[in-house]
Amino acid sequence: NALRNDWPGYSLDLFTYPQHYYGDLEYVLIPHGVIVDRTECLAKDIMQDIGDNNIVVLCVLKGGYKFCADLVEYIETLSRNSERSISMKVDFVRLKSYHNDQSTQDMQIIGGEDLSKLTGKDIIGTGRTMKALLNNIEKYKPKMIKVASLLVKRTSQPDGYRPDYYGFEIPNVFVVGYALEYNEHFRDLNHICVINDNGKGKYKV
């Protein structure tokens, strides 16, 4: 599940995608079908590790909503067809840390209900940006916290955060699609793609 730094990706000509993004993308990094299959595998791993527990799934908006929805659906299906069941509640929080394609130092935690209700609960967080959120959640002393992220970027920083479950390790490139956005664009793109300079310029704010 690790994509090499020299991975050339897939030609855009092999896939269908919204016409309004023609000319804005470099290549398809991970096709939608591969994302879905990998998410099902993660659901099985989670079921195996924490079956028979009541959990709160904390979805990180907006970039994590498709991954979270698919992951929760697979866990529910596995739970229905298994002797080991999981009772799940889903809550939502939004972390805002990007300006154009650059990650900023300022992290805003927006929305979500009262996090004090997480005290003593098992929590699975789903999303991309986690350190600030984890620091916030840990104040409430939940029983257990596990983080599931679809993507992990390979960086030169040795202290880079590693989630408990992840779908793909990818090169340090800026990706869009499957709810990952660039200034609110590309959420309607099913595949995970690398944006090109034309796309960055067109949608820059």
Side-chain angles (χ1 to χ4, degrees), residues 6 43 46 61 66 77 90 106 109 112 153 172 174 179 188 191 198:
D6 61 351
I46 291 168
L61 298 173
K66 279 193 177 181
T77 300
V90 181
D106 299 324
I109 299 177
K153 281 190 180 180
N172 192 18
F174 191 81
D188 53 341
H191 315 294
N198 184 68

Side-chain angles (χ1 to χ4, degrees), residues 96-104 128-129 153 174 183:
K96 193 164 178 64
S97 65
Y98 270 88
H99 180 76
N100 293 318
D101 61 343
Q102 299 300 311
S103 183
T104 65
R128 292 182 300 159
T129 312
K153 281 190 180 180
F174 191 81
N183 296 329

Side-chain angles (χ1 to χ4, degrees), residues 14-26:
L14 297 173
F15 301 93
T16 58
Y17 61 99
Q19 190 169 350
H20 47 268
Y21 296 135
Y22 283 16
D24 300 333
L25 302 169
E26 202 73 52

Side-chain angles (χ1 to χ4, degrees), residues 52-56 79 85-89:
D52 301 325
N53 281 292
N54 297 329
I55 63 174
V56 175
S79 183
S85 64
I86 286 183
S87 172
M88 279 189 300
K89 292 181 180 176

Side-chain angles (χ1 to χ4, degrees), residues 21-170:
Y21 296 135
Y22 283 16
D24 300 333
L25 302 169
E26 202 73 52
Y27 55 86
V28 174
L29 186 69
I30 310 171
H32 181 252
V34 178
I35 298 169
V36 169
D37 287 352
R38 181 70 184 132
T39 304
E40 184 176 12
C41 288
L42 293 179
K44 288 177 181 175
D45 290 343
I46 291 168
M47 270 291 290
Q48 207 166 36
D49 292 348
I50 56 174
D52 301 325
N53 281 292
N54 297 329
I55 63 174
V56 175
V57 177
L58 193 58
C59 177
V60 179
L61 298 173
K62 298 180 182 178
Y65 83 85
K66 279 193 177 181
F67 173 56
C68 183
D70 288 347
L71 184 65
V72 165
E73 186 174 347
Y74 278 124
I75 292 174
E76 287 176 343
T77 300
L78 289 168
S79 183
R80 278 196 303 269
N81 298 309
S82 170
E83 294 177 2
R84 307 175 67 209
S85 64
I86 286 183
S87 172
M88 279 189 300
K89 292 181 180 176
V90 181
D91 200 359
F92 303 89
V93 68
R94 185 177 176 194
L95 306 182
K96 193 164 178 64
S97 65
Y98 270 88
H99 180 76
N100 293 318
D101 61 343
Q102 299 300 311
S103 183
T104 65
Q105 295 301 312
D106 299 324
M107 172 66 69
Q108 295 174 275
I109 299 177
I110 305 167
E113 295 181 22
D114 180 11
L115 294 181
S116 65
K117 69 181 182 181
L118 302 176
T119 302
K121 298 287 177 61
D122 299 321
I123 300 166
I124 295 179
T126 63
R128 292 182 300 159
T129 312
M130 275 292 152
K131 281 186 178 178
L133 180 60
L134 288 176
N135 289 338
N136 199 287
I137 290 174
E138 282 165 359
K139 298 176 193 170
Y140 301 101
K141 303 190 185 312
K143 180 180 172 186
M144 176 172 62
I145 304 174
K146 297 285 188 183
V147 177
S149 180
L150 179 63
L151 304 177
V152 172
K153 281 190 180 180
R154 196 159 44 242
T155 68
S156 56
Q157 299 172 359
D159 61 344
Y161 176 74
R162 302 289 289 191
D164 302 284
Y165 308 96
Y166 66 92
F168 304 92
E169 181 182 275
I170 66 170

